[in-house]
Amino acid sequence: SIRQVLGDEPGQAGILGELASVAQQRGDAPTAEQLARRSLELHGKTLPEDHPILSPMRITLGMSLESQGRLEDARTHLDHALRVITSTQGEDHFNAAFPLAGLGRLNLREEQPALAIEQLERAVNLLERGQFGARIEMQARLDLARAQWASGNKDVATQTAEDGRDRARTRYPDAVAMFDRWLGERGS
């Protein structure tokens, strides 16, 4: 019945990929992982593993794994997606922002703030130019502030978070509270 509704395997894979993305946005990392893996499996029957169409699913899978604390597996998928995007679309393509944001968050968790800062700054710069990705941009901005704070640049971190909050007001108002909470925890 799924085949009748969703069509052939590439059609199913695309729908499963969209559902994985929705699950990830809702914070349901295990479901996102399961759906992303199934999408990649179905796509893998007709596409090579380095096909650019697979990058969004690798990013979703990487982010869901990172959310669950499975950092090495997450890194594998995010690195793969970044490599494919930069080799097929260029270093400065907007799509590179998504795996960069994920890798920055991952490196922050692994207490590598210098590397996290580098990746998150690149992600934010790319996301600023985009018409979508506001939610990820705001998270990347807050992660950047966290990485700056962790590296001892507290004034810079505070300014990054304040700038992020200002940008959130017009770009993604739901994120204002996230910045306010983080700044409040640090006495700003």
Side-chain angles (χ1 to χ4, degrees):
S1 65
I2 290 174
R3 232 177 246 121
Q4 288 175 334
V5 173
L6 301 180
D8 58 4
E9 287 178 344
Q12 290 176 42
I15 297 294
L16 291 171
E18 293 298 322
L19 291 172
S21 181
V22 169
Q24 181 64 27
Q25 289 176 23
R26 290 180 167 222
D28 186 354
T31 299
E33 177 190 356
Q34 179 184 16
L35 293 167
R37 285 190 188 281
R38 182 66 179 138
S39 176
L40 285 168
E41 179 185 322
L42 289 173
H43 273 308
K45 292 180 179 183
T46 58
L47 298 172
E49 74 172 28
D50 285 343
H51 196 286
I53 201 169
L54 302 179
S55 294
M57 273 313 81
R58 290 198 183 281
I59 295 165
T60 298
L61 180 55
M63 300 286 256
S64 69
L65 292 166
E66 184 272 330
S67 297
Q68 297 175 76
R70 293 162 52 201
L71 305 184
E72 285 309 308
D73 289 340
R75 182 178 304 284
T76 297
H77 290 285
L78 293 169
D79 279 339
H80 189 129
L82 182 61
R83 186 176 64 252
V84 170
I85 290 168
T86 57
S87 70
T88 59
Q89 299 173 328
E91 292 280 330
D92 292 327
H93 194 280
F94 173 76
N95 288 335
F98 300 101
L100 283 168
L103 287 165
R105 184 176 184 87
L106 192 146
N107 286 317
L108 178 58
R109 280 185 74 165
E110 291 186 332
E111 298 179 7
Q112 297 180 51
L115 184 54
I117 289 169
E118 177 186 322
Q119 292 165 327
L120 291 164
E121 284 177 342
R122 281 185 60 204
V124 167
N125 287 335
L126 293 170
L127 288 162
E128 283 178 337
R129 301 184 312 206
Q131 298 300 314
F132 63 95
R135 182 184 60 79
I136 293 173
E137 177 189 340
M138 294 310 123
Q139 185 62 57
R141 286 176 179 279
L142 184 58
D143 289 341
L144 176 57
R146 288 178 174 141
Q148 291 165 333
W149 189 275
S151 70
N153 295 321
K154 295 180 180 182
D155 291 339
V156 172
T158 300
Q159 187 62 53
T160 297
E162 289 171 351
D163 292 347
R165 178 181 55 197
D166 292 344
R167 181 142 166 100
R169 286 190 176 109
T170 57
R171 183 135 160 84
Y172 192 70
D174 291 352
V176 171
M178 174 177 74
F179 287 105
D180 284 341
R181 188 171 35 258
W182 189 82
L183 286 163
E185 291 168 357
R186 279 142 195 87
S188 296

